[in-house]
Amino acid sequence: MPARVAEEAEEHTISTPVEQRTWLVVPLYNEATVVRAVIENARAVFPNIVCVDDGSSDESVGEARAGGAVVVEHPFNLGQGAAIRTGLDYALRDPGADYFVTFDSDGQHRVEDALAMVQRLDSEPLDVVIGSRFLDGRTKPGALKRVVLKLAVAFERRSTGVQLTDAHNGLRALNRHAARSIEIDQNRMAHASEIVFEIGKKKLRYAEQPVHVVYTDYTRSKGQSIWNSVNILNDLYLK
């Protein structure tokens, strides 16, 4: 790299706050009642947010745009893995972006946790920081979900060599190298296992961050905890 280019890159990194060098990638599917508030809250910290609408049949697209996000639309439902890959590819087009956070659209993830994770990427020799619900006692998943997540952790440790305490947490922070390197071919729930496999395969430097996942009345009313548990089991044993 020419000396002048290197100096300009270093000046950019030092002078631009980490929040402005980060993109939130938000998969979106039928969350019209909550997504605007989720985006507005996140944009108070992170100005760059891309929502990938995965064939919603409600007003999710308009609500996400009203909240201030860029919205990329899939013509029909492809699954969360495909939405994440589309969002990463979009955000990587920004030459000023250094970090990328996968962030849920239903209000379960906290902005302060995402900020702490990208701050670690900015200050430590890491490629990926993965949120964990099990490094402290703040998150209270149901009994079934807790058992399934523990089974997932044991399975992923044996199959990938990546030592995590929470293998299926959707809150992840990646640097540019990781965002480019991780291949996501599994479109639906299996993408979470695939990302862990890619971390091991590509020898990416990783760490976990304690996070608080908020299980709300809204997410419980959708039966999300139960169905996610079933989907994780399908991911582990049928992929």
Side-chain angles (χ1 to χ4, degrees):
M1 179 183 293
R4 182 177 177 182
V5 174
E7 289 173 3
E8 290 176 351
E10 182 177 0
E11 182 180 352
H12 156 75
T13 300
I14 293 172
S15 63
T16 306
V18 68
E19 299 95 316
Q20 296 180 25
R21 293 183 280 122
T22 299
W23 275 84
L24 262 56
V25 174
V26 183
L28 177 60
Y29 182 67
N30 289 343
E31 302 286 3
T33 60
V34 297
V35 67
R36 184 193 295 202
V38 170
I39 298 302
E40 288 176 343
N41 183 54
R43 287 196 76 243
V45 176
F46 295 102
N48 304 311
I49 302 177
V50 56
C51 282
V52 181
D53 183 71
D54 197 34
S56 293
S57 59
D58 63 5
E59 299 301 318
S60 288
V61 170
E63 290 296 307
R65 287 194 175 123
V70 175
V71 178
V72 177
E73 296 181 61
H74 285 169
F76 46 84
N77 183 258
L78 295 174
Q80 194 174 76
I84 288 173
R85 187 65 262 172
T86 295
L88 289 174
D89 290 342
Y90 179 92
L92 281 164
R93 292 162 51 190
D94 178 359
D98 293 324
Y99 307 117
F100 310 84
V101 176
T102 61
F103 195 88
D104 283 358
S105 60
D106 60 5
Q108 289 197 133
H109 292 157
R110 302 194 316 154
V111 177
E112 52 264 52
D113 289 333
L115 179 58
M117 292 162 75
V118 295
Q119 287 173 336
R120 288 190 67 182
L121 289 180
D122 203 47
S123 62
E124 300 178 36
L126 296 169
D127 299 307
V128 183
V129 177
I130 300 172
S132 174
R133 288 162 280 197
F134 301 116
L135 292 177
D136 60 30
R138 290 176 295 168
T139 302
K140 306 296 183 184
L144 173 61
K145 183 127 186 168
R146 180 177 291 273
V147 169
V148 170
L149 290 170
K150 292 295 186 181
L151 288 172
V153 164
F155 182 90
E156 302 293 0
R157 285 181 173 181
R158 289 196 304 270
S159 62
T160 69
V162 177
Q163 301 298 303
L164 299 178
T165 62
D166 191 354
H168 282 254
N169 194 320
L171 184 58
R172 314 172 188 89
L174 302 87
N175 67 11
R176 181 169 281 269
H177 170 60
R180 282 175 170 166
S181 299
I182 289 175
E183 298 177 23
I184 306 176
D185 296 320
Q186 298 290 334
N187 287 344
R188 299 193 180 274
M189 288 302 294
H191 78 275
S193 297
E194 188 173 29
I195 289 172
V196 176
F197 176 80
E198 286 286 298
I199 290 170
K201 178 182 177 182
K202 304 293 173 59
K203 301 188 184 304
L204 299 175
R205 300 166 298 175
Y206 68 91
E208 288 188 291
Q209 175 77 16
V211 301
H212 181 195
V213 174
V214 182
Y215 297 112
T216 65
D217 291 340
Y218 170 73
T219 57
R220 290 191 178 97
S221 72
K222 295 169 63 179
Q224 187 183 79
S225 179
I226 294 173
W227 284 112
N228 276 357
S229 298
V230 172
N231 287 332
I232 289 169
L233 289 174
N234 286 337
D235 174 359
L236 294 176
Y237 298 109
L238 301 179
K239 68 177 181 176

